[in-house]
Amino acid sequence: AQSVTQPDIHITVSEGASLELRCNYSYGATPYLFWYVQSPGQGLQLLLKYFSGDTLVQGIKGFEAEFKRSQSSFNLRKPSVHWSDAAEYFCAVGVLDQGGKLIFGQGTELSVKP
Amino acid sequence: ETGVTQTPRHLVMGMTNKKSLKCEQHLGHNAMYWYKQSAKKPLELMFVYNFKEQTENNSVPSRFSPECPNSSHLFLHLHTLQPEDSALYLCASSQGLAGTNEQFFGPGTRLTVL
């Protein structure tokens, strides 16, 4: 069955430090992968997506993610975190059967220390 | 209005009440979705509509009844809810199917069932 695992429920980093949020997926075919961010009181916003080609994808707000097929991972990174990055981050895999849908991980809450 | 809007933003209802959530997308998309977001759980896809036709009902209890009168509007009718139905209900839309295309989310309706 298709699934997405985000091993870290909550991460705290200092402002200016680097960030890596982990995501592992289970899907039999070539995956379509997404990272979304949710700020308090808001809906989800797409940060970046991977469909094919270059395994390092750039997104908005200075984020990037690397697709590693051998590890079934799609980790999100940012070299220097800003206080405004505090939010919840969701990894998702696109499933093409059953009409197409997204399967989300349980999310990682990011806190940023001044 | 731009993007995806949801009303009301907050709703408190008793278990015997009947209420409706409304979602409107101003993006010209053909697909619309209802998700349930509970604390510490992955987003749960409830319903998918594509060109006004329901293409997914993810084993949702009948006390939740969706309605999609056109590609821009989506409703979720609620009746005889249980306290465990308290959650954030998110609406989303996409052009094409969600497995490969970005979904745009509304801010959600925070539902509390007493």
Side-chain angles (χ1 to χ4, degrees):
Chain A
Q2 307 95 345
S3 66
V4 176
T5 302
Q6 293 179 247
D8 304 304
I9 295 175
H10 189 200
I11 283 182
T12 299
V13 299
S14 298
E15 191 168 15
S18 63
L19 171 70
E20 182 169 30
L21 301 182
R22 295 182 292 165
C23 172
N24 293 97
Y25 67 90
S26 173
Y27 186 52
T30 300
Y32 291 72
L33 295 163
F34 304 79
W35 273 102
Y36 284 83
V37 60
Q38 185 180 30
S39 298
Q42 302 295 319
L44 280 68
Q45 180 187 18
L46 181 70
L47 284 175
L48 49 78
K49 59 187 177 185
Y50 170 79
F51 287 170
S52 64
D54 193 347
T55 56
L56 184 65
V57 292
Q58 303 297 322
I60 63 172
K61 306 184 181 187
F63 285 91
E64 66 178 27
E66 186 172 12
F67 169 60
K68 292 185 177 180
R69 184 186 300 274
S70 62
Q71 299 178 20
S72 297
S73 69
F74 189 55
N75 294 348
L76 182 70
R77 301 194 294 246
K78 186 170 185 178
S80 177
V81 170
H82 188 262
W83 64 267
S84 60
D85 293 324
E88 188 143 24
Y89 292 80
F90 294 92
C91 181
V93 63
V95 173
L96 301 185
D97 56 345
Q98 301 176 338
K101 60 183 178 182
L102 293 180
I103 295 176
F104 286 87
Q106 66 267 47
T108 297
E109 185 179 355
L110 173 65
S111 297
V112 180
K113 293 189 300 184
Chain B
E1 292 280 13
T2 59
V4 180
T5 57
Q6 291 186 242
T7 54
R9 294 293 308 274
H10 300 271
L11 178 62
V12 180
M13 58 187 289
M15 289 191 287
T16 59
N17 291 157
K18 290 185 179 180
K19 297 287 184 183
S20 296
L21 310 184
K22 178 183 176 182
C23 174
E24 184 173 1
Q25 59 98 356
H26 309 267
L27 301 168
H29 291 164
N30 59 273
M32 297 188 75
Y33 314 84
W34 279 116
Y35 287 90
K36 177 183 179 182
Q37 185 178 27
S38 304
K40 308 305 179 188
K41 293 177 66 176
L43 269 72
E44 300 173 52
L45 178 64
M46 300 175 72
F47 301 104
V48 179
Y49 278 82
N50 192 24
F51 291 107
K52 303 187 299 176
E53 298 298 319
Q54 187 179 125
T55 57
E56 176 104 10
N57 177 338
N58 204 19
S59 302
V60 180
S62 60
R63 57 185 184 269
F64 295 92
S65 174
E67 178 189 1
C68 188
N70 55 61
S71 293
S72 298
H73 294 86
L74 186 63
F75 295 88
L76 188 63
H77 303 299
L78 316 171
H79 64 96
T80 325
L81 293 192
Q82 304 298 309
E84 60 265 28
D85 297 323
S86 298
L88 182 68
Y89 288 84
L90 292 167
C91 174
S93 70
S94 70
Q95 183 57 36
L97 296 176
T100 61
N101 295 288
E102 176 182 0
Q103 287 189 32
F104 292 78
F105 285 80
T109 295
R110 174 67 63 186
L111 174 66
T112 303
V113 181
L114 301 176

